[in-house]
Structures are given as structure tokens and as C-alpha cells.
Amino acid sequence: MENNYIMIALNLLGALGLLIYGMKMMSEALQKMAGPQLRHILARMTTNRFTGMLTGTFVTCAVQSSSATTVMTVSFVSAGLLTLAQAISVIMGANIGTTLTAWIMSLGYSVDLTNIVYPSFLIGMILIYKKRYRYAGDFLFGIAFLFLSLVMMSTSGRELNLEENESVVSFFASFDTSSHLTIVAFLAIGTIITCIVQSSAAVMAITILLCSTGVLPIYLGIALVMGENIGTTATANLAALGAGTEARRAALAHLLFNVFGVIWVLAVFFPFVDMVCRIVGYDTSSVNTEKLPVVLAMFHTCFNILNTTVLIGFVPQIERVVCWILPDKKQAEQDELRLKYIQANIVQTPEISVLQAQKETTRFAESVRLMFGVVREMFANSDEKRSDNYFKHIEQEEKMSDRMELEIAHFLEQVGTDHLSDETKQKIRQMMREVGELESIADACYNIARIIHRRDQTGKKFTSQQVNDLQAMMALCEEALDKMFTIVDGQNEEDNIDETMRVEKGINAMRDRLRTENVEAVNKHSYDYTLGTLFDDIVGELERLGDYVVNVVEAKIGK
């Protein structure tokens, strides 16, 4: 008999593993199928706290994972797409959406799902081999694994015959279900187990299994479910540990929301549970366990809906509390964090990662544009001491641009290892090229600054004509950089592409004219050869900068 228990326990653990894998596979497939749409839904359908809540509910029902929605939301806050208030309302909705999982599991204990499992495997396999529908196939495989695990757990639960095992029955019977201390203890157990396994679905499945066999009293089962609500917040909080302040605030808001809900339910625990049992039509004194999975699912739903109803009006207050607990970082610390949107510790889908990289690339483009502005200021100021200060600043910026390029590129390389759609792969290739060309612009700025610094150290002075010519060419380069930034930022692409090409042609034409005039001026001894060389070097770097700008634009539009 002992060997039977070992085998049944192993089957049960295998079923749990299959459940977690099925949920993960199903969630990831849905996110890949609707990645851009989910992104747009979360970004646009959060105009107020109520639409944000409905959006969180809808998305979580779709991806079948509140952890996926909350981590996605934390990532969006980190990427600057959602405000903290919007994120809080989405997280509230995610808690409602996740109740669908409990209903699916309760269904698995009252309906034979075998008839769904095997056809799902067959259809899923066919779709996977048709590459165009591979994500739909992955989704069906996830559903099949999920339902198969529920069938296995239901079968293992019956085989265990726990209701006839006196030691198990007496163990759970030894707890005083009328004591709040016992309820709190089981709540803590549910929290700890969920934090460890990082899956509230798995803990919910175990809870339903124990209650359905009749060994775990309904009050203790519901206490475990309450603990799962707190434990499931660990995923988002762990993901946000290395992220920015706003992302950590969003994750903390998720924790506070669930903790507050548990506190007020504990205050009215027994009347609340009895009310849920009456809704389902279950008598707590009955030995019939058939309706217990439905009771757990109904409690989970009522708890999250009522908690959201109570707290939806207090989103601004929750926002103030989390901002008080996690104040803004000091400016010195913020300056060290050059990458604002890419956070290494946040787990996210490739679609969100690409979006974060796009935002970071836009910041990079703005950085090199401002860097060129400093170069223009340096050129206009011939004082040697000020020139040293300008050059040191530009030198530092160039080093930071090297670092930004490497970090963005490394991040994109990591994203590129995932199973991606062709569209996402193309976006990653384009951004890799963009950041490389942006870094080349920073190099050109540094080279120009180095030439100007050499001029100032030698005490040479450009003639008024040379100054006017170079300032005119720099103005064209600055115009090209402005057009480039607008395109990288995703604004008015078509008009600005034509304008960028026009400006670049102007830069090339000016380079040819200035080089010809420079050779003539040196031959006529209007200024010496050294000054002519410095002038020609700056003209050459400015022309190369214009070429790099065009390369960035072409990379952005996919040419």
C-alpha cells in the first residue's frame, strides 16, 4: 500500500508540473498571438480607473495568468507607457480576471475533460506544423496539458482515498476551524507555498483536491485561497526588484491591494464564507464534497470582485501610500541609471521587450542630438579653458553612448533568442542597426570636438568666412538630426524622410563646395595649411555625420 501511495504522490506531482507548464504555454502562446494588440489595449484602454480595471480583467481572462498581466503592467510602467494610477486599476482588474482559472479547475473536478484533451493535442500538432498557425497550436497544446493535468489530479485524488486515511483525517480535524488563529495560520501557509512555487494556480489545484476529498474543511481551504492571493504578488515584486522606482511602486500596489482585501475579509470571515456557501447552495455541516470546488471558485470570485469594488475609488490614495513608502531616488542615483526603460530583472514577453528597446533607442537619439548641440556651443567659444570643459563633457558623453549602444544591443540579443514572430525579428534587426548608427553619430560629434579642441590648444583662429561656412554646415546637420529624431520617435515619418534626404543632399553639396574653396584658399595663402587641414577635417566629419543620420532613418523604415 505504501508503494501505491508513493506512485500516486509522484503522479500527483507530475500532474502539478504539467498544470504549471500548460498554464505557462497557454499564456505565452496567447501573448505571442496578440502581443501588439495587448500592448495597444493596455496602453490605450486605461483612460480612467474603471476602463483600466476592465482592461486588466479582459487581458487576464485572455492570457489565463494574473502574474503575466501584472508583470506586463509593471513592464509598461517601467517603459513609461502607463502611469502608476493606470497600473493600479489594471492590477485590480487582473485579480478579477484570474478567478476564471479557479472556475476552470473546479470544472475539471465535476466534468470529464478527457474528451477534450486528445482532440486538442491532435489539432494543436497539425497547427504547429503549419508554421503560420504555430502559436494557435501552442495554445491548444497548453489547454490540452492543462485539462490533462486536471484529469490526472482528479484521478490521483480518488486513488489516494484520503477520506479513509484516519491519520490524515485526524490531522486536519485537529485544527479548530472556528478559531481565527487557525485561519491566519493556513493563510500564511498558502502565502508561503505560493511564493515558493510561484504559481497560485498550482496551489489552488492542491486546495481543490484536498477539499474535494473531504479531508480539508472548507474554512481552511478558503484560508489557503486567501494566502494564494497574497503569495501571487511575489512574482511581480521579484520581477521589479532591479527595476525603476515606478515599476517597484506598481508591484507594491499589487501587494497592498491584496493584503488590504485579506484583512477586511478576515474581520468578517465566517459570515462571509457562509454567505458564499449559501450562494452555491452548500451546507457547511454537510459531508457531501461535490460542491466544494465550486465553493472555492465562488469565494475567489466574490473576494476579488468585492475587494476591487471597495478599493477602486481609492486609487489616488493607494498611489500616495506607495509613493510615500518608495520615494523618488536622489538625482545622483538617477544620473547613474542611463537606461531608463530597459530593466534587466523584469520578466516580459518579446513584444514588451521590443517596445522598451524602441523607447530606449528614442532616448539615445535625443542624447546624440543634444551632444551635437554641445559641439556647436564649443565651436562658437574659442576660449581655451572653456574649450577644455566642453571637450571633457563631450568625451564623457561619447563614453556613455558607447555603453548605451552595448547595453541596448545586448538586451536585443537576449530578446532575439526567444521564439519570435517574423515581424518582431525584423524590428530587432532594424533597432540593432539604429543603435549602431546612433553611436557612430556620437563618435562623429566626439571627433569634431577633438578637432576644435586641437584648434584651441594651438591658438589657431578660423577666418570669419570659415566660421560662417562651418556654422552653416552645422545648422544643416542639426536640422537633419531634428528630422531624424522625429522619425525615430515615430512622428510624421513620410514627410520627414523626404526632408532628411533633402537636407543630406544639401550637406553633401556644401562639403564639395567648401573643400574646393578650402584648397583654393590654402593655395592663395589666405590662411596656412594647418588651419586648412583642421577646417577640412571638420567638414569631413560633418558630412559623415549626415550620412549616419540617413542610415538611422533608413534603418528605422526598414530600407
Side-chain angles (χ1 to χ4, degrees), residues 386-552:
R386 294 185 69 182
S387 179
D388 284 339
N389 293 334
Y390 276 122
F391 184 66
K392 286 177 184 176
H393 176 66
I394 291 168
E395 193 174 36
Q396 184 64 28
E397 286 296 314
E398 197 276 331
K399 288 177 182 176
M400 294 307 298
S401 73
D402 287 344
R403 185 176 145 200
M404 285 184 78
E405 181 207 10
L406 290 174
E407 291 187 11
I408 296 172
H410 178 65
F411 179 76
L412 288 170
E413 281 177 358
Q414 289 180 318
V415 175
T417 60
D418 291 330
H419 189 52
L420 307 171
S421 66
D422 292 337
E423 182 187 355
T424 304
K425 287 178 183 175
Q426 178 64 20
K427 284 181 183 177
I428 289 175
R429 283 194 295 268
Q430 289 174 208
M431 272 189 286
M432 292 281 275
R433 186 180 164 201
E434 275 181 70
V435 295
E437 297 295 345
L438 286 170
E439 201 279 325
S440 295
I441 294 175
D443 286 343
C445 289
Y446 171 73
N447 290 336
I448 295 167
R450 186 166 47 80
I451 297 164
I452 297 169
H453 190 236
R454 191 164 73 244
R455 175 204 69 176
D456 295 337
Q457 284 181 321
T458 58
K460 297 284 184 181
K461 299 285 184 183
F462 285 131
T463 65
S464 58
Q465 184 61 46
Q466 284 178 312
V467 170
N468 291 336
D469 288 337
L470 288 175
Q471 284 182 338
M473 194 169 183
M474 285 181 177
L476 279 177
C477 288
E478 190 161 56
E479 184 182 354
L481 284 165
D482 290 341
K483 303 289 185 189
M484 176 204 75
F485 176 76
T486 306
I487 293 168
V488 172
D489 197 31
Q491 308 170 34
N492 301 322
E493 283 193 9
E494 290 184 10
D495 294 340
N496 283 288
I497 289 167
D498 294 337
E499 284 294 303
T500 303
M501 298 304 178
R502 178 189 61 78
V503 174
E504 202 269 338
K505 286 178 182 177
I507 293 171
N508 288 344
M510 184 171 280
R511 173 206 58 189
D512 294 339
R513 178 176 64 82
L514 294 182
R515 279 187 164 170
T516 302
E517 292 175 357
N518 183 54
V519 171
E520 292 175 356
V522 171
N523 289 337
K524 291 178 182 178
H525 303 289
S526 299
Y527 44 80
D528 62 25
Y529 178 79
T530 303
L531 202 58
T533 301
L534 292 172
F535 178 84
D536 189 68
D537 287 346
I538 293 176
V539 169
E541 289 295 338
L542 288 171
E543 191 276 330
R544 276 189 284 276
L545 188 147
D547 288 342
Y548 297 141
V549 167
V550 172
N551 291 343
V552 171

Side-chain angles (χ1 to χ4, degrees), residues 78-317:
S78 176
L81 288 178
L82 291 179
T83 64
L84 180 58
Q86 289 172 324
I88 292 170
S89 62
V90 170
I91 287 167
M92 288 180 175
N95 279 267
I96 296 175
T98 194
T99 60
L100 180 62
T101 306
W103 284 106
I104 292 172
M105 289 182 180
S106 67
L107 182 71
Y109 283 85
S110 54
V111 177
D112 184 7
L113 298 172
T114 313
N115 296 330
I116 302 173
V117 171
Y118 299 110
S120 296
F121 275 127
L122 177 62
I123 298 169
M125 180 64 71
I126 293 169
L127 291 176
I128 287 172
Y129 275 98
K130 288 181 175 292
K131 289 189 177 180
R132 185 178 175 185
Y133 303 105
R134 62 182 180 273
Y135 297 139
D138 288 343
F139 173 68
L140 279 176
F141 255 63
I143 286 182
F145 283 134
L146 170 63
F147 286 167
L148 180 61
S149 68
L150 292 175
V151 171
M152 290 169 63
M153 290 183 74
S154 179
T155 304
S156 298
R158 286 192 294 270
E159 290 176 353
L160 278 171
N161 290 322
L162 291 177
E163 65 273 19
E164 296 178 9
N165 189 316
E166 291 184 8
S167 58
V168 175
V169 172
S170 60
F171 171 76
F172 284 108
S174 65
F175 293 99
D176 182 7
T177 56
S178 63
S179 168
H180 271 87
L181 190 61
T182 303
I183 301 302
V184 171
F186 271 77
L187 187 152
I189 291 169
T191 302
I192 293 167
I193 295 174
T194 309
C195 287
I196 292 171
V197 301
Q198 287 288 293
S199 173
S200 59
V203 184
M204 173 65 80
I206 295 171
T207 306
I208 292 176
L209 172 66
L210 291 173
C211 285
S212 65
T213 57
V215 298
L216 183 67
I218 188 61
Y219 292 113
L220 301 187
I222 285 175
L224 287 176
V225 172
M226 291 166 64
E228 292 156 21
N229 273 272
I230 297 176
T232 194
T233 64
T235 305
N237 278 280
L238 286 171
L241 279 178
T245 305
E246 286 298 302
R248 286 187 288 119
R249 285 172 177 170
L252 178 62
H254 187 206
L255 174 63
L256 293 180
F257 171 75
N258 282 345
V259 167
F260 179 82
V262 165
I263 290 171
W264 75 256
V265 168
L266 279 175
V268 292
F269 182 75
F270 294 103
F272 188 79
V273 174
D274 291 340
M275 178 197 74
V276 171
C277 291
R278 283 195 298 272
I279 293 172
V280 175
Y282 174 75
D283 184 0
T284 52
S285 61
S286 171
V287 294
N288 183 12
T289 60
E290 188 178 334
K291 289 186 177 180
L292 286 180
V294 180
V295 173
L296 289 172
M298 180 61 76
F299 172 82
H300 198 220
T301 303
C302 291
F303 167 74
N304 282 297
I305 289 177
L306 285 174
N307 196 32
T308 300
T309 304
V310 170
L311 292 179
I312 193 71
F314 295 95
V315 170
Q317 287 76 15

Side-chain angles (χ1 to χ4, degrees), residues 353-404:
S353 299
V354 169
L355 182 66
Q356 289 178 311
Q358 284 175 340
K359 299 276 282 186
E360 208 66 73
T361 303
T362 302
R363 283 187 71 238
F364 195 3
E366 172 69 359
S367 175
V368 296
R369 186 174 68 154
L370 294 174
M371 188 176 175
F372 185 73
V374 178
V375 171
R376 289 198 71 183
E377 286 181 27
M378 181 181 182
F379 178 74
N381 292 275
S382 58
D383 177 78
E384 186 177 344
K385 186 177 180 181
R386 294 185 69 182
S387 179
D388 284 339
N389 293 334
Y390 276 122
F391 184 66
K392 286 177 184 176
H393 176 66
I394 291 168
E395 193 174 36
Q396 184 64 28
E397 286 296 314
E398 197 276 331
K399 288 177 182 176
M400 294 307 298
S401 73
D402 287 344
R403 185 176 145 200
M404 285 184 78

